[in-house]
């Protein structure tokens, strides 16, 4: 095996450099993963432009790879051996706290980069922290004993498996948080990889009506939304979205509104609150902005709306997402539109942000290409 590991490192806002790190020694309770695909999402776009710290970081938090080396204890404890194709969550749990015992380790302080400077989270943690390989935009990634690893089902290619994170968020936000199920009516705002994944999950769960919104630049994405099961799509720049939702629902509004728009500020939340049914709807929000002047708290209360915060995915959501991918029930190859090599990380992230290659829905970073 090589002595050095090649990685694309974020060295400042909007800046990437290829660097080498020493191949780590793998203790008995750890493993080394050879990267196959790192998915790139809207979070990468934000973290790339506005790094939360000046430290050099190997980004890449949606990681699919093959176990290249596994310590004896790692295999004994976790059941994974060399050659297994796996998905590694970006959360690295402590395994001891109340959140970990609840299985909600995404809330564990050990992986909370906002509050804990020593937190470990793939794609976020400083590359200066030994053994350095904490991100997927690299040839190899280090897996400690407390990494959360899932088996990729047979027949699922690494590229398709690269969709597991948006799909798992789809399960978590629409089903677990939003309560979407049989006969639900749903408004999904934003037809990017996240909104399209929600569409698939809501369809699979039996939603009776799925409406997806986008803007003028989303023409191709809205077509994909229809192909994946959206009953109606709305270009919010050409039509009044609230009027359309009310016309489609016979004036009733929808049961659940999901915010998957990016960079739209308060607009999706205001529309969501208006478009929800008369009483008891659920809105799942992203909270992109720090403040919300004139938030319609009165309307929200009168409509008896429940607000849920979109916060990543749980273990169960990941497993269900992997099963969904394995089912091949939906034409998800329409979502995995682009591949980029390691030297093109900068272009890949910019393209996901709408400023490089055109019409990217989901970008797969293939570090060996
Ligand atoms: Zn992501
Ligand atoms: Zn914990």
């Amino acid at each position: 095996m090589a002595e050095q590991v090649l990685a694309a490192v974020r060295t400042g806002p909007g800046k990437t450099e290829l660097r080498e790190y020493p191949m780590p020694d793998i203790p008995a309770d750890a493993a080394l993963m050879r990267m196959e695909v790192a998915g790139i999402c809207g979070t990468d776009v934000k973290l790339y432009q506005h790094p939360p710290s000046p430290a050099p970081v190997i980004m890449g938090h949606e990681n699919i790879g093959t176990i290249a080396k596994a310590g004896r204890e790692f295999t004994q404890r976790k059941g994974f051996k060399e050659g297994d194709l796996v998905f590694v969550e970006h959360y690295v749990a402590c395994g001891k706290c109340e959140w970990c015992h609840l299985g909600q380790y995404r809330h564990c302080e050990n992986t909370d980069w906002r509050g804990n400077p020593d937190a470990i989270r793939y794609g976020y943690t400083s590359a200066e922290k030994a053994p350095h390989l904490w991100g997927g935009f690299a040839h190899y990634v280090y897996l400690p004993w407390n990494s959360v690893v899932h088996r990729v089902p047979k027949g699922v290619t690494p590229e398709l498996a690269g969709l597991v994170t948006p799909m798992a968020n789809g399960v978590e936000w629409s089903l677990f948080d939003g309560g979407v199920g049989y006969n639900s009516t749903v408004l999904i705002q934003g037809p990017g990889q996240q909104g399209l994944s929600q569409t698939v999950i809501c369809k699979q769960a039996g939603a009776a009506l799925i409406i997806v919104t986008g803007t003028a630049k989303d023409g191709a994405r809205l077509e994909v939304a229809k192909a994946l099961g959206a009953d109606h799509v709305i270009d919010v720049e050409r039509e009044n979205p609230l009027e359309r939702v009310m016309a489609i629902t016979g004036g009733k509004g929808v049961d659940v509104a999901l915010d998957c728009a990016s960079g739209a500020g308060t607009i999706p939340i205001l529309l969501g609150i208006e478009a929800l049914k008369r009483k008891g709807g659920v809105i799942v929000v992203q909270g992109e902005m720090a403040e919300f002047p004139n938030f319609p708290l009165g309307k929200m209360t009168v409509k008896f709306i429940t607000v849920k915060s979109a916060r990543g995915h749980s273990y169960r959501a990941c497993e269900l997402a992997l099963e969904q991918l394995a089912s091949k029930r939906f034409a998800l190859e329409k979502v995995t539109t682009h591949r980029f090599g390691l030297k093109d990380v900068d272009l890949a992230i910019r393209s996901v942000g709408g400023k490089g290659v055109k019409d990217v829905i989901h970008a797969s970073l293939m570090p060996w290409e």
Side-chain angles (χ1 to χ4, degrees), residues 93-100 105 108-110:
C94 80
K96 294 174 280 216
C97 74
E98 57 175 329
W99 291 111
C100 285
Y105 44 83
C108 172
E109 195 175 13
N110 194 64

Side-chain angles (χ1 to χ4, degrees), residues 45-287:
V45 177
K46 272 178 251 166
L47 291 173
Y48 192 48
Q49 290 312 325
H50 307 285
S53 95
V57 168
I58 306 171
M59 293 176 64
H61 62 273
E62 306 185 357
N63 298 324
I64 308 293
T66 307
I67 302 286
K69 214 188 248 185
R72 196 173 42 83
E73 269 180 52
F74 185 91
T75 296
Q76 256 171 17
R77 282 189 193 179
K78 301 173 82 76
F80 294 96
K81 59 182 192 317
E82 288 165 16
D84 288 347
L85 182 65
V86 297
F87 159 55
V88 178
E89 294 190 43
H90 56 322
Y91 313 118
V92 180
C94 80
K96 294 174 280 216
C97 74
E98 57 175 329
W99 291 111
C100 285
H101 280 107
L102 284 168
Q104 306 290 353
Y105 44 83
R106 67 189 183 285
H107 304 308
C108 172
E109 195 175 13
N110 194 64
T111 196
D112 185 359
W113 58 276
R114 283 187 176 88
N116 175 7
D118 298 321
I120 300 180
R121 181 177 294 204
Y122 291 104
Y124 292 71
T125 292
S126 167
E128 274 163 8
K129 187 182 177 80
H132 315 293
L133 305 179
W134 301 116
F137 298 168
H139 282 173
Y140 292 92
V141 162
Y142 180 78
L143 306 182
W145 68 273
N146 46 349
S147 52
V148 183
V149 186
H150 299 259
R151 200 173 298 282
V152 173
K154 271 205 172 59
V156 177
T157 62
E159 196 175 9
L160 184 60
L163 287 178
V164 62
T165 300
M167 295 288 280
N169 291 342
V171 173
E172 193 73 40
W173 305 349
S174 66
L175 308 192
F176 297 172
D177 294 330
V180 171
Y182 183 74
N183 225 32
S184 295
T185 56
V186 190
L187 172 64
I188 299 167
Q189 302 190 60
Q193 53 177 291
Q194 193 53 71
L196 294 172
S197 297
Q198 307 279 344
T199 303
V200 165
I201 297 298
C202 290
K203 194 75 177 177
Q204 169 82 7
L209 175 70
I210 300 171
I211 305 169
V212 178
T213 66
T215 57
K217 66 174 188 339
D218 293 322
R221 292 175 174 193
L222 291 173
E223 284 308 309
V224 175
K226 279 197 233 168
L228 294 177
D231 299 285
H232 299 271
V233 298
I234 304 173
D235 173 348
V236 300
E237 290 173 348
R238 279 190 35 227
E239 298 177 278
N240 179 321
L242 182 59
E243 282 175 13
R244 269 297 304 285
V245 170
M246 288 306 167
I248 292 165
T249 58
K252 280 187 174 163
V254 295
D255 298 325
V256 179
L258 300 164
D259 172 17
C260 300
S262 82
T266 60
I267 294 169
I269 295 167
L270 292 171
L271 175 61
I273 288 173
E274 293 290 338
L276 283 174
K277 60 189 177 185
R278 193 179 66 88
K279 296 277 181 183
V282 178
I283 183 167
V284 182
V285 301
Q286 297 282 349

